[in-house]
Amino acid sequence: MNASSRTALLEVRGLGKRYRAHRPPVFGGVDLRLVTGDHVAIMGESGVGKSTLLNLVAGLDRPEAGTILLDGVEVGTLDDDAATRLRRAKMGFVFQAFHVLPYLTVAENVAVPLGLLGVARRESGARVAAILREVGLAGAGPRYPRELSGGELQRVAIARALVHRPRLVLADEPTGNLDPRTALQVLDLLRGQVRACGGAGILITHSFVAARTADRVLRLTAQGLAPEVLPP
Amino acid sequence: MNQARLWWTLWRAQWRDRPVRLLMPMLAIALGVALASAVYLVNRGALDEFERAARRLAGEADLVVRGAPAGFPESLYPAIARTPGVAVASPVLEVMVPGFRLFGYSGAQRPITEQPKTRHQVLLPVVAVDPFRATQVQPALLGEIAGNLRAFFRPDGIFLSVRAAGALGVGTGDQFDVLVGSSMRRLEVMGLLGESAYPRALGIMDIAAAQWMFDRSGIVNRIDVRVAEGADCDDVRAAIGRLLPSGVTVAAPAIDNERVASATRAYRVNLDMLALVAVLTGAFLVLATQALSILRRRTAFGLLRALGVTRGALRRALVLEGAALGIMGAALGVALGQRIGAWMLTALAGDLGAGQFAGVAGHLAPRPLEWVAFVVAGGLAAALASWWPAREAAARSPAAALKAGDAGIVLARVRPWRAGFALILLGAVLAVLPALHGLPLFGYGSIAALLLGGVLLVPGIADRVLGRMPTVRHTPTTLAIAQLRGSTAQASIGLAAIIVSFSLMVSMAIMVHSFRESFADWLDTILPADLQLRMGQGGDTGSLDAAAQARLARLDGVTRAEFRRTFALPLRRDATAVQIIAAPIDASTAASRLAIIESVAAGAQPARLPPAWISEAMVDLYGWSAGSTISLPLGRDQVAFRVAGIYRDYGRSTGSVVIPRSAYRAATGDASANDGAFWLARTATPAQVEAAIRAALDAGPALQLRTTTEVRQLSFANFDRAFAITYALEAIAVLIGLLGVSVTAASTALARRSEFGMLRHIGLLRRQVVAMLAGEGLLTSAIGIGCALVLGMALSLVLVYVVNRQSFLWSIDLAIPWWQLGVLAFALLAAAAVTATVSGRAALSGDALRAVREDW
Ligand SMILES: Nc1ncnc2c1ncn2[C@@H]1O[C@H](COP(=O)(O)OP(=O)(O)OP(=O)(O)O)[C@@H](O)[C@H]1O
Ligand SMILES: [Mg+2]
């Protein structure tokens, strides 16, 4: 296939996680391979370990077994600082509860990742303006989060997740708090932006409608990831 | 639905979830109440003791006739006793006697010259009475001696209080020396007085024995009078008043008590300031913790409101919660305060209180009613502190409270500029008002108003400062500044307690430093000679006659000698006796011997009247002024003087007058002196001259000789000790303020855990989050400390020019201890940064990263 011939952006092999030694593992044997431009949706029952998987990929937690390679770097063995720097440069996050800082304006919120990477102010301003235009919030820069609706807030969060052109965008139920119409708009936007940035995206969702916006849909079980067949 | 049940369930759940959050306000209240009640206890203990002592000695007398310590002829006594309406009159001789413990032996006689040169001296107040009269007027005074009357009449016998016996190191049957004139006499201890009845140092003697022993034959200085039943007290007083020569007054003992209390009032300025620190710091601490605790839970309250809890019910529940916490905290605080108060009194009774608190420590009788009052006050304060944030929380629409992104902006609009400026204006007005009943009440009011006004201005000032902050390309700093901009009011609440305590500490530091500098200048002026001599430190019985003075002035190595006679003279019956200093002084030498602050031009003075110089207190207490004519009851007559100048006298806040010795001698014929100053030849050492003086006088250890350097050192040591307890307690107040800051920091950090989790997700290093928090802590503290410094300086003006002037009756020059203030501010800043860092670390520990997992 075309995708497999390209070098992998994310390569997960035999990943397993167990929270307590004497308890059964959350999951084991998870394999996942993403290349540039891939946008996958992961579904699964509540409590099966979807968020846990994202944490492991993000280097926020350590796996019990298996390896995670992001652009050839072994994420699971990095120390906290190194993992943080990797996230800063190569990942973007979208959360269900938005997590936008209330005391910063929209533009300032979006500019935080650029600030962390030391991007010069002029360039940072231009990139923030551009991404806000992309997500349909042109002109909202000086406003404060409390003046925005939920859908608008999630667009701000998406802009923040993408402004530094990450390789991998991780979204955990980003539309759980939105109405179906807005949710779909936001998800289309997310997929479009991930593509445009030249990275890959993992979307975790419970909704088939949402999953459909992805290129591939996988189901997580205790035994690993398997392709999911969506109902028509 | 039974709402009480619901609230109780919620409250218990909160308690189980985060006990610290509820414990903190309680602890704050406890500390505030502890500080306030401790200071109150000390004040009460001191006052009670003065009153008790005064009452025990005055007994059941209706009127007290009083003269100078030097006394008046006892022939007045029969005249008073015969006055119609007088039931009983009891003559009393009160003397301050320098007493000395004997060494190595007791009982046997030994020449004084063989005894060690320096001996432990105790200034012993002796009250001598006629037991037959006294039992009718002061039954309590003599209760203890009743069974031992024979011993009481021994000419060299004395009864001592346990404290006095301890200080002298003697027991029943032992002997000790007292200084009379320039030689020693020996007394024998006949018995000890009960410690509970006589907590202070005291000796009691037969009046005839005392008159003989202390060379006061025919002299008494007090007569206690009981008015016959049915006679009018005022009429009797007027009748007695007509019998009295000048310098002798008659008054009801109530006024007498007040006089005792007012003599010690000056020292208590210290304690009053501390009480102010305690009450205000405590109140702000309570307000801060309660307000923040309610703000933090506003989302939960939004939910409750959405579920159908009415606005009023929510408000009531919160105020009730505050009151409950307040009552529990206050109960804890009263227990703690009792402890602290007892500790302070022990420290004060040692020598911190300059002897004025001796004997108070054992008498802190518990008063349950006061405890209840403190507990109720604590509950009320906490309920009040909860009322405002409770109203705020209840007034918010539940939708807004529940909306994400609303956090921390609730108070953003609170900028009480107008109220702040109004209070500061009020403070300025109060500062120029005169003393009330001799107390600087308006001065304290001014301080309180300035403090409150200053605290109200802080959010606005913080806004301005943060608005001017340059934008930096350091993400943690940018985030810190942005966070602070969004929550200045909230931060200001957290800072209020430390601003209050630190600014009060700054103002006290400035006042004490100013005082110390002025005190040093004053010492330089009043101690021009090399060697100072005193006969029996401060007692009434030691003196040098003219021949002895002449002998000393002629000694080898002495180039110049000056002798002074000092004594106390009551000028008005409702005021403490004024110290009169007869010194070899004239218009030309006055400026080099006294710290003159105002003088009359020499030409303007009529030559007829001798000059006198008065201390500042005389201006306030007697309305005298430079250039006015005054008259003093010296000898048998009133002698007129012309006030040639006003000087500072840090030794006596109750007033002193310096008159030329020649005028004193002319009026009284008294050529004796009780202190002297010696200028030494360059070739002579102080030790040689001291030896020569001791040899010439043969007064042994009663002669107190000190070099000027020693006197200075001693004076400063006393000075610093007197303020040591102030500093200690203020440090405690500032620490409590700091605790407030750290509680605020810790609780806001906890509340922001999900924010930190998000920041960690998007790439802030752990230490960057900590740095952000430390930066926030440092910045708020810097603003707070800056405000407190400015506020403290403003307060110090009130302290120096109003409170000090009105309570001590002397002026001091403002001097600011920049260096000391700098160190203090820096230490506090460092402490605040450490606090913020620690609470940041705590907030990041554990599963902080998963604080975003409301959704993950
Ligand atoms: N820190 C933890 N310690 C112990 N067990 C945990 C921890 N975090 C998650 N778990 C457990 O691991 C399992 C997987 O949790 P996870 O949050 O990954 O589920 P999820 O698939 O994201 O569920 P949902 O769809 O409800 O968000 C759950 O059974 C959970 O109880
Ligand atoms: Mg999940």
Side-chain angles (χ1 to χ4, degrees), chain A residues 19 51 54-55 60-61 80-82 84-85 87-88 93-104 108-109 112-113 115-121 145-149 153 160 170 172-173, chain B residues 403-409 471-476 478-480 482-486 752 754-755 757-768 772 776 849-856:
Chain A
Y19 277 109
S51 300
L54 273 201
N55 278 342
L60 290 164
D61 208 344
D80 188 73
D81 280 7
T84 306
R85 291 210 168 81
R87 278 203 301 279
R88 188 191 282 181
F93 287 87
V94 185
F95 311 91
Q96 178 174 358
F98 319 149
H99 287 305
V100 174
L101 293 176
Y103 46 84
L104 294 183
E108 285 168 341
N109 261 297
V112 170
L116 284 173
L117 290 169
V119 174
R121 183 160 323 148
R146 60 179 175 277
E147 303 163 302
L148 301 185
S149 75
L153 279 179
R160 183 182 61 196
L170 303 172
D172 196 347
E173 292 177 44
Chain B
K403 187 174 172 183
D406 175 69
I409 312 185
T471 37
V472 287
R473 293 197 359 88
H474 182 242
T475 306
T478 317
L479 290 175
Q483 151 72 17
L484 289 182
R485 278 195 193 128
R752 288 164 60 197
S754 73
E755 173 194 330
M758 183 276 285
L759 288 172
R760 292 279 285 125
H761 270 83
I762 68 171
L764 250 78
L765 300 176
R766 178 179 290 268
R767 60 172 172 278
Q768 282 181 313
M772 179 184 89
E776 282 174 24
L849 263 186
R850 279 186 207 89
V852 285
R853 64 173 279 137
E854 287 153 32
D855 47 305
W856 272 59

Side-chain angles (χ1 to χ4, degrees), chain B residues 154-173:
Chain B
R154 261 185 58 166
D156 63 344
I158 187 167
F159 284 80
L160 292 181
S161 68
V162 171
R163 181 173 274 268
L168 284 162
V170 292
T172 305

